[in-house]
Amino acid sequence: MTTSSVGSLREQLRVVSANRAFRNLVCTWIIQALATGAMLAGVDYVARWVLEDDGAATVLFVCFVGPALLVTPLWQRFAERRDKRQGYVVASLVFAVGAVTTWWASNVGMAATALTLAVVGVGYAGIQLFPMAMLPDVAADDATASGENRIGTFTGVWTAGETLGLALGPFLYAAVLALGGYAPSTGGGATQTGQAITAVALGFTVMPAVLVVVSLLFLRRYR
């Protein structure tokens, strides 16, 4: 088996686009990175305008990323006993359901929002674990079929896709705020309409949930 060294990004994209499994997996990954980036961008806005507590941002962030420390081993067991792809679907749905529920919880109060966001965090742990575990499988299958080890090419495109999704997430969130009529202010003196505050919450909850569900259309065609 030879090791393929592909130079330009265009050539890398040509190589990996021919692999159906990778193509669908990386599209799922990029869309979910977009959802994650948008959600992370909205933490401060939700804390300030929806929960009306600037200090809540730290709590929300911890609730989002903290559960990974506890549930990642459980997701690993799920993969061992069942299937990585099935686990990826389940984790994505947990993320989406948690995000939509956070839309309701944000109108109830801080405690309810933290609880539902922790559910999002449980799903987030899974959508980080499973695709990273599936990528080597795709590369191994490709190496068997092509006779070339192209893991470097797959990894390069994968990393570029993740970076793109995370970078565009805040821009997408900003677009939702703009559509809602959000009034930016560097001095903190701006007031927001009810429509703008609704956009703050929607961009943080419903929009990421929709993106994750849409991403499953690609994951469905993974094999």
Side-chain angles (χ1 to χ4, degrees):
M1 181 180 297
T2 61
T3 299
S4 175
S5 178
V6 183
S8 68
L9 178 59
R10 180 178 180 180
E11 183 64 13
Q12 291 182 49
L13 291 174
R14 185 193 66 78
V15 170
V16 300
S17 65
N19 186 301
R20 176 185 176 185
F22 179 81
R23 186 171 65 245
N24 287 301
L25 184 61
V26 77
C27 284
T28 305
W29 177 252
I30 292 172
I31 295 173
Q32 292 191 353
L34 184 65
T36 299
M39 208 163 190
L40 290 174
V43 168
D44 287 337
Y45 293 89
V46 171
R48 180 179 181 186
W49 295 108
V50 180
L51 299 176
E52 299 181 342
D53 181 0
D54 290 343
T58 300
V59 177
L60 296 181
F61 181 79
V62 170
C63 289
F64 184 75
V65 302
L69 299 174
L70 301 174
V71 303
T72 297
L74 299 179
W75 283 126
Q76 289 175 332
R77 291 181 185 177
F78 187 103
E80 293 169 357
R81 295 180 180 180
R82 297 195 179 184
D83 176 74
K84 295 175 186 176
R85 178 180 175 277
Q86 183 181 1
Y88 196 6
V89 172
V90 172
S92 298
L93 292 176
V94 170
F95 183 105
V97 170
V100 171
T101 307
T102 301
W103 159 255
W104 162 82
S106 65
N107 295 310
V108 175
M110 180 62 205
T113 303
L115 181 61
T116 57
L117 200 57
V119 174
V120 176
V122 171
Y124 175 70
I127 67 174
Q128 293 296 299
L129 171 69
F130 289 113
M132 294 297 291
M134 294 162 70
L135 178 60
D137 296 339
V138 172
D141 291 343
D142 177 78
T144 300
S146 67
E148 296 184 38
N149 181 1
R150 300 191 285 206
I151 183 63
T153 300
F154 286 117
T155 304
V157 174
W158 184 270
T159 302
E162 178 187 25
T163 302
L164 177 65
L166 290 174
L168 291 179
F171 287 99
L172 183 59
Y173 185 77
V176 173
L177 296 188
L179 288 174
Y182 182 86
S185 173
T186 56
T191 59
Q192 305 299 336
T193 64
Q195 181 176 321
I197 294 175
T198 297
V200 168
L202 283 175
F204 182 72
T205 59
V206 176
M207 183 183 69
V210 170
L211 287 171
V212 168
V213 171
V214 168
S215 75
L216 294 180
L217 297 176
F218 291 95
L219 188 60
R220 183 180 180 183
R221 299 194 294 268
Y222 167 67
R223 294 293 189 190

